[in-house]
Amino acid sequence: SSMVHARRAPQPVLSFAAPPSIATAAVQAIVLNSGLAAIGTALGQRVLTPSGLVSAWVLGVTLWSTLGWQGWATCVFYLVCGSAVTKLKMAEKEAKGIAESRGGARGPENVWGSAATAALCAIGTVYMPLATT
């Protein structure tokens, strides 16, 4: 009688940790974004208005919880670059009357105007994940 020997699949040389669960990621997001908001407030940050800071906190928690640090970091990069560009030649822009109001500080309308679609897509990744076949 012949014996059938099952071949074991080769073991990967490198192993990457599985992504954290949504609950774990949400806790990380709340801690991170709350800490950054507290530090920024204590240092007198002027990038966001108070209501813009609350909106950015909600957005940050949403992005970290759904897309991980990569999605969150992309949004932070966009905020930093956008704020820097707004402040370029601020005196000249003010003299011409074309400067952003509030000294360039972002309010909730700026936060959500730039990121509402991204936030909805990020949430969609949780409820409609890609099929893997």
Side-chain angles (χ1 to χ4, degrees):
S1 112
S2 69
M3 292 179 52
V4 176
H5 294 283
R7 275 185 104 176
R8 288 206 294 171
Q11 296 299 312
V13 175
L14 293 175
S15 174
F16 297 97
S21 70
I22 287 270
T24 300
V27 170
Q28 293 170 345
I30 290 167
V31 169
L32 174 69
N33 286 282
S34 296
L36 289 174
I39 291 168
T41 300
L43 295 176
Q45 69 82 26
R46 295 187 314 243
V47 173
L48 296 157
T49 65
S51 56
L53 183 61
V54 171
S55 292
W57 184 90
V58 171
L59 176 63
V61 169
T62 301
L63 293 177
W64 188 285
S65 298
T66 56
L67 299 177
W69 70 267
Q70 298 94 333
W72 180 89
T74 301
C75 189
V76 170
F77 179 73
Y78 178 79
L79 171 66
V80 169
C81 289
S83 295
V85 168
T86 296
K87 301 215 185 286
L88 283 176
K89 300 183 181 182
M90 182 62 95
E92 185 180 318
K93 292 176 187 176
E94 287 173 344
K96 291 180 179 179
I98 59 170
E100 287 276 342
S101 62
R102 303 179 299 237
R106 271 42 178 175
E109 70 280 5
N110 304 112
V111 172
W112 294 114
S114 295
T117 301
L120 290 173
C121 290
I123 292 167
T125 66
V126 174
Y127 296 101
M128 296 171 23
L130 294 174
T132 55
T133 55

